[in-house]
Amino acid sequence: QVQLQESGPGLVRPSGTLSLTCVVSGGSISSSNWWNWVRQPPGKGLEWIGDIYHSGSPNYNPSLKSRVTISVDKSKNQLSLKLTSVTAADTGVYYCAIPSRGIGAFDVWGQGTMVTVSA
Amino acid sequence: QSVLTQPPSVSGAPGQRVTISCTGTSSNIGAGYDVHWYQQLPGTAPKLLIYGTTNRPSGVPDRFSGSKSGTSASLAITGLQAEDEADYYCQSYDSSLSGSQVFGGGTKLTVL
């Protein structure tokens, strides 16, 4: 069973860049899968950020497309997220998630990592 | 404002049946794309409850069921239990948004 573990700085300054990683264990990031990032502001709902196939181009939420970069590091078996020009609205829990059984739905999630944007 | 619309809250007494709606458009649910449902307990990651509109992953009680009609989908929970109190989210794919996954705004279920 694939497991996902997010990590990164818990505090980012406004206008800075949010950088997170998601380490994959129990499986290979080169497997046939779409690797996703989802976020959740405090007390609010889920928002899909984007996804990437290990050998393809990423897809991004149009509302974030100008600021987000998702990439895969096969040597480290991990997924990365970079979000530039952050504001307080980017504060929240960030999850990586995958449809591990090819069912389209996200059946494997990381535990999430909280990121606060504040001076 | 979410692409998929859910009621902010629903409630029911133990043993009762409740339904949570998820309303979309012709570019997502109405286009025939699958709908998935997640349950999120406080402080935890979402858990897959229903996939492919009507299918339950192993381990999910058959008290939970999903359906779809036109541009809307529904999650039904029968025999309501205190442990069902949580937030529920629907998810689908939207072809008008450059190929985006979209979520509903979430519904808080309160067991009275």
Side-chain angles (χ1 to χ4, degrees):
Chain A
Q1 169 75 339
V2 175
Q3 293 184 312
L4 307 173
Q5 175 81 49
E6 308 88 344
S7 64
L11 180 65
V12 181
R13 303 303 182 193
S15 78
T17 297
L18 181 160
S19 296
L20 299 176
T21 59
C22 172
V23 174
V24 179
S25 60
S28 171
I29 202 160
S30 296
S31 63
S32 299
N33 225 322
W34 288 92
W35 304 89
N36 293 261
W37 284 100
V38 177
R39 71 179 183 177
Q40 184 171 35
K44 296 187 178 181
L46 303 170
E47 180 181 34
W48 180 75
I49 298 171
D51 64 15
I52 187 169
Y53 198 72
H54 69 89
S55 60
S57 298
N59 300 297
Y60 300 129
N61 185 324
S63 68
L64 299 170
K65 189 172 184 176
S66 64
R67 301 193 291 129
V68 66
T69 302
I70 294 175
S71 60
V72 163
D73 187 329
K74 296 180 183 179
S75 66
K76 295 182 179 178
N77 212 35
Q78 69 184 31
L79 176 69
S80 296
L81 169 70
K82 291 188 186 300
L83 185 65
T84 62
S85 304
V86 297
T87 69
D90 295 309
T91 293
V93 178
Y94 286 73
Y95 298 98
C96 50
I98 57 167
S100 74
R101 288 173 282 176
I103 56 177
F106 303 154
D107 60 324
V108 177
W109 294 71
Q111 88 286 353
T113 187
M114 179 67 196
V115 178
T116 300
V117 178
S118 175
Chain B
Q1 188 170 347
S2 302
V3 173
L4 305 178
T5 301
Q6 297 181 234
S9 64
V10 298
S11 63
Q16 286 189 332
R17 177 181 186 271
V18 297
T19 61
I20 298 173
S21 61
C22 174
T23 303
T25 67
S26 58
S27 63
N28 42 68
I29 297 175
Y33 294 113
D34 282 337
V35 179
H36 316 301
W37 290 91
Y38 301 88
Q39 177 192 61
Q40 186 177 36
L41 299 171
T44 69
K47 169 192 170 186
L48 180 63
L49 206 59
I50 298 287
Y51 68 93
T53 305
T54 60
N55 304 291
R56 285 186 310 277
S58 60
V60 173
D62 59 6
R63 301 187 296 105
F64 295 90
S65 63
S67 63
K68 185 172 78 170
S69 178
T71 58
S72 293
S74 292
L75 172 70
I77 309 172
T78 58
L80 207 56
Q81 299 179 3
E83 66 202 52
D84 298 332
E85 186 160 297
D87 294 322
Y88 293 84
Y89 295 91
C90 59
Q91 178 208 351
S92 188
Y93 175 88
D94 193 295
S95 59
S96 72
L97 298 173
S98 303
S100 289
Q101 300 291 335
V102 289
F103 286 97
T107 299
K108 170 67 177 179
L109 169 62
T110 300
V111 180
L112 302 172

